[in-house]
């Protein structure tokens, strides 16, 4: 579904990622050939003093935000860019939601290019922790 | 710890680069892992801009850290990450990756002490057309005791 006439301040619908699954991290570790055991070995996480649950790969957290933007903008081809700062680890079992709002709109030949502030929130949207934040650009 | 002059001399370092075949099965599995839809796989998940670039820049992360006189055991951290797509990537396509170190700065903070912030940019081409750019920064912790200075 394409959105019409985005305006500055518009908040796109919250995108519920759901609960982060430790088993998915194992698949991604194999796909990325990532040897860091914090993504699958609880003992390794413990020994580093980082808690007692596997830690999600940072690119997975970026991917959730990309999913939200694709869902809102109507397709992969409308995704233009995403820049993020990693603010905290995301752990297996965390419940995540992507929120964001439009900060600028540039009218181009293909449509409206919307720049957005985006956040990945752990817990409830109103009072949870922001674990990743940044800017994104999508074509609407 | 490398000197600031040595650190600055790394700016402009060009990665060997390489080719990346975006395998359809990897796109399917990636979509499955991150909760993206798998009902239309003509276009790849945008995160392949990152995966392709990092996979085929021509050095491993450990080799990249070594360029800056560090190892993964030094606690190197991701600072920022950015992907920019000129057009969507496609499963089954082969991309050419190239890139370089774009900035390197020595900084101090209360939390990290002395650290080096290194930026690098990787370009993704298909048939000489720029498809995407992956920009990343790494934080190299250097001397924690300097934080109190």
């Amino acid at each position: 579904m394409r959105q019409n006439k985005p305006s500055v301040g518009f908040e796109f619908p919250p995108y519920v990622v759901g609960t982060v699954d430790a088993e998915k991290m194992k698949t991604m570790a194999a796909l990325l050939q990532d040897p860091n055991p914090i993504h699958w070995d609880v003992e390794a996480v413990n020994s580093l003093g980082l808690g007692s649950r596997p830690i999600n790969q940072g690119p997975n957290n970026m991917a959730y935000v990309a999913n939200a933007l694709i869902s809102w903008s109507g397709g992969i081809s409308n995704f233009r860019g995403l820049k993020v700062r990693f603010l905290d680890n995301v752990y297996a079992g965390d419940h995540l939601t992507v929120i964001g709002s439009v900060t600028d709109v540039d009218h181009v030949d293909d449509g409206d290019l919307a720049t957005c502030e985006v956040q990945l929130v752990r817990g409830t949207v109103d009072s949870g922790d922001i674990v990743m934040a940044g800017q994104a650009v999508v074509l609407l | 710890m490398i000197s600031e002059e040595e650190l600055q001399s790394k700016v402009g370092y060009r990665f060997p680069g390489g080719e990346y075949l975006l395998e359809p099965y990897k796109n399917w599995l990636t979509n499955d892992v991150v909760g993206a839809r798998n009902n239309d796989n003509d276009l790849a998940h945008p995160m392949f801009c990152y995966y392709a670039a990092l996979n085929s820049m021509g050095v491993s992360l450990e080799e990249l850290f070594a360029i800056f006189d560090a190892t993964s055991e030094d606690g190197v951290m991701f600072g920022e990450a950015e992907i920019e797509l000129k057009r969507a990537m496609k499963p089954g396509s082969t991309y050419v990756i190239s890139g370089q170190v774009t900035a390197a700065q020595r900084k101090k903070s209360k939390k990290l002490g002395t650290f080096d912030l290194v930026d690098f940019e990787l370009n993704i081409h298909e048939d000489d057309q720029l498809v995407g750019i992956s920009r990343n920064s790494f934080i190299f912790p250097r001397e924690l005791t300097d934080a109190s200075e």
Side-chain angles (χ1 to χ4, degrees):
Chain A
M1 180 175 66
R2 293 179 69 91
Q3 304 295 314
N4 296 320
K5 303 290 182 188
S7 56
V8 172
F10 175 81
E11 296 179 1
F12 63 75
Y15 176 88
V16 178
V17 176
T19 303
V20 177
D21 182 351
E23 295 303 310
K24 303 287 190 187
M25 297 182 204
K26 296 175 184 174
T27 305
M28 186 53 83
L31 278 171
L32 296 179
Q33 298 177 295
D34 181 350
N36 193 335
I38 63 170
H39 304 309
W40 69 81
D41 184 350
V42 173
E43 286 186 15
V45 180
N46 254 319
S47 68
L48 291 167
L50 295 173
S52 57
R53 292 178 285 161
I55 297 172
N56 205 19
Q57 285 93 350
N60 288 359
N61 301 332
M62 288 181 73
Y64 304 144
V65 176
N67 293 348
L69 296 163
I70 291 165
S71 174
W72 173 49
S73 66
I76 289 173
S77 59
N78 295 324
F79 179 94
R80 290 292 184 273
L82 173 63
K83 180 179 183 178
V84 299
R85 299 182 307 283
F86 300 99
L87 303 176
D88 201 356
N89 289 329
V90 169
Y91 295 90
D94 284 351
H95 189 272
L96 304 174
T97 304
V98 180
I99 59 173
S101 60
V102 175
T103 58
D104 189 36
V105 179
D106 188 18
H107 304 289
V108 295
D109 289 345
D110 297 343
D112 293 321
L113 214 48
T115 301
C116 311
E117 292 286 346
V118 293
Q119 296 176 328
L120 183 63
V121 180
R122 171 174 48 219
T124 60
V125 169
D126 291 337
S127 59
D129 306 319
I130 299 168
V131 292
M132 197 179 75
Q135 296 82 40
V137 180
V138 291
L139 184 70
L140 298 173
Chain B
M1 178 169 68
I2 63 173
S3 68
E4 284 194 66
E5 278 186 0
E6 286 177 281
L7 177 67
Q8 280 299 317
S9 74
K10 308 296 184 187
V11 177
Y13 169 84
R14 298 196 71 83
F15 297 108
E19 290 191 345
Y20 182 82
L21 170 60
L22 203 168
E23 305 248 30
Y25 84 91
K26 288 188 177 178
N27 185 54
W28 197 100
L29 286 171
T30 295
N31 284 337
D32 187 64
V33 165
V34 302
R37 290 161 54 169
N38 248 324
N39 58 349
D40 177 8
N41 283 338
D42 290 341
L43 302 178
H45 195 283
M47 282 308 296
F48 274 91
C49 182
Y50 170 90
Y51 304 140
L54 272 288
N55 181 278
S56 298
M57 61 182 174
V59 294
S60 66
L61 285 183
E62 202 63 49
E63 290 168 329
L64 172 61
F65 297 162
I67 293 168
F68 293 92
D69 195 27
T71 73
S72 54
E73 293 184 0
D74 293 327
V76 182
M77 296 173 280
F78 243 123
E80 293 185 338
E82 179 179 6
I83 53 174
E84 179 183 340
L85 282 167
K86 304 297 183 188
R87 56 184 164 93
M89 297 172 74
K90 293 183 177 178
S93 295
T94 297
Y95 298 94
V96 175
I97 313 301
S98 61
Q100 62 182 334
V101 174
T102 53
Q105 284 181 285
R106 180 146 296 164
K107 294 189 166 191
K108 285 186 180 184
S109 79
K110 282 188 176 178
K111 186 177 177 183
L112 295 174
T114 301
F115 67 96
D116 293 338
L117 183 63
V118 174
D119 300 336
F120 60 102
E121 181 175 301
L122 300 163
N123 297 311
I124 302 171
H125 285 85
E126 183 183 27
D127 299 330
D128 294 328
Q129 297 263 314
L130 181 63
V131 175
I133 304 166
S134 172
R135 300 183 185 91
N136 302 278
S137 65
F138 278 119
I139 296 166
F140 294 81
R142 297 301 189 186
E143 288 182 356
L144 191 57
T145 52
D146 279 3
S148 60
E149 289 178 359

